[in-house]
Amino acid sequence: MKICVLVKEVPDAAVEKRIDPGTKRLDRSGEKNLNPFDTHAIEAAMQLKEGGAVSVDEIVAVTMGPESAFRALHKAVSLGADRSIHLTDDALAGSDVAATGYALAKVLEQEGPDLVLLGQQSDDGECYTIGAVVADHLKMPSLTQVIKMDVEGDKLRCERQAEYGYDTVEVSLPAVISVGDAINEPRYPSLKAIMGAKKKPLDTKAAGDVGIDAGKVGESGSRTAVLAINPPPAKDAGEIIEDEDTNETVEKIVNWLEERKLLA
Ligand SMILES: Cc1cc2nc3c(=O)[nH]c(=O)nc-3n(C[C@H](O)[C@H](O)[C@H](O)COP(=O)(O)OP(=O)(O)OC[C@H]3O[C@@H](n4cnc5c(N)ncnc54)[C@H](O)[C@@H]3O)c2cc1C
């Protein structure tokens, strides 16, 4: 079995998110990291490889992103992927979610995986959408929020997290599975794995290498456009009740809640 894991380089969680008013896009400058949700997808691939129920020949990490995104691939291979592919091209800059999914699908088409794994969401765009877009292009079944996964022959038996518990769903392989963060506890890379990551094969590809139609990617090929950005409406200042006499304070709080019909 060949598994491809989609991984994304995102601004570090500690960096304050800011929209660039000029481009109306997220300012992605500053410290970056491997999208934390994608570490669960890599771990899920590793557990299939180590589990023994199926023979996994290779795990390939795939990203689309600017030049710096190779660092996310180094992290992915230090967590266990055997090799990685970096799709990078100026023509891809400004791609929206549909264009990004199309471009990633073109790389996957060339790779021909039995299973595509990805995180539930990116830590920056948070569209929760790439899995469905990629699956649509590849004409593969797609599941989201998968928290348990077992290979049974040419099928995958999955548990999907739902509001009321979970659904058990069986899909035929090849399939595109986006994993929930409850699926596993990602491992930490060993020092040896971090040092060895740079030696694992990294293939850099341009849009033309995977047959991407330039008219379907980039800002001009994207079907969505950000028309305006507005700050969230300002909230009224809260009421602060100083606790000088506790009985009086409790009475004030209860009255405040009753006035708003918040007490049953
Ligand atoms: C008009 C417009 C212009 C944009 N321009 C840019 C831009 O110039 N640069 C930019 O970075 N973003 C840009 N974006 C955002 C970009 O399109 C989204 O980040 C991208 O479509 C993926 O959506 P998401 O990150 O919310 O992914 P989600 O659907 O939330 O991610 C789910 C999973 O998909 C996988 N994934 C997501 N993105 C990638 C990727 N690139 N490579 C590999 N795996 C991935 C990961 O496994 C992730 O966990 C733009 C968006 C719009 C609307």
Side-chain angles (χ1 to χ4, degrees), residues 18-259:
R18 202 184 71 86
I19 305 285
D20 181 328
T23 61
K24 299 197 187 75
R25 288 187 218 145
L26 193 69
D27 177 357
R28 289 179 166 91
S29 59
E31 206 50 42
K32 296 193 192 67
N33 216 331
L34 170 62
N35 179 26
F37 295 97
D38 301 347
T39 59
H40 295 277
I42 300 166
E43 181 63 32
M46 288 301 288
Q47 289 187 10
L48 281 179
K49 187 175 180 175
E50 293 164 355
V54 62
S55 162
V56 174
D57 304 312
E58 63 170 351
I59 299 171
V60 186
V62 178
T63 198
M64 166 181 141
E67 204 245 322
S68 66
F70 75 86
R71 292 177 302 197
L73 293 174
H74 280 170
K75 288 207 177 130
V77 294
S78 74
L79 289 168
D82 299 296
R83 64 181 174 92
S84 58
I85 301 173
H86 185 187
L87 175 66
T88 185
D89 199 309
D90 287 347
L92 299 165
S95 294
D96 68 359
V97 69
T100 304
Y102 161 71
L104 290 168
K106 292 304 280 180
V107 178
L108 295 168
E109 220 171 76
Q110 231 179 39
E111 285 294 312
D114 302 289
L115 178 62
V116 178
L117 294 176
L118 62 159
Q120 65 178 37
Q121 75 197 84
S122 74
D123 209 25
D124 55 354
E126 292 188 283
C127 288
Y128 292 76
T129 308
I130 287 290
V133 180
V134 164
D136 187 45
H137 283 289
L138 298 176
K139 301 288 170 252
M140 289 183 190
S142 157
L143 289 179
T144 54
Q145 289 295 335
V146 168
I147 50 161
K148 191 169 186 294
M149 199 169 51
D150 294 301
V151 180
E152 291 174 2
D154 60 350
K155 292 202 163 61
L156 205 57
R157 196 178 167 80
C158 299
E159 284 177 14
R160 280 196 75 230
Q161 202 158 31
E163 279 154 26
Y164 44 83
Y166 61 84
D167 293 320
T168 303
V169 191
E170 207 174 67
V171 288
S172 302
L173 292 170
V176 179
I177 305 292
S178 125
V179 303
D181 55 0
I183 192 170
N184 54 39
E185 197 59 55
R187 67 192 68 188
Y188 288 101
S190 66
L191 189 59
K192 191 172 162 229
I194 294 171
M195 301 305 283
K198 287 185 187 149
K199 293 191 190 127
K200 289 194 185 174
L202 189 165
D203 225 352
T204 304
K205 290 185 189 279
D209 297 334
V210 290
I212 288 173
D213 175 348
K216 292 185 181 172
V217 291
E219 207 160 341
S220 57
S222 293
R223 291 188 231 168
T224 57
V226 182
L227 301 179
I229 47 169
N230 297 295
K235 283 188 185 158
D236 292 340
E239 189 181 332
I240 297 171
I241 301 171
E242 299 285 349
D243 182 23
E244 280 155 10
D245 173 325
T246 303
N247 286 336
E248 218 176 277
T249 303
V250 169
E251 203 174 312
K252 279 184 187 165
I253 293 173
V254 169
N255 286 344
W256 189 93
L257 291 169
E258 270 178 347
E259 276 165 24

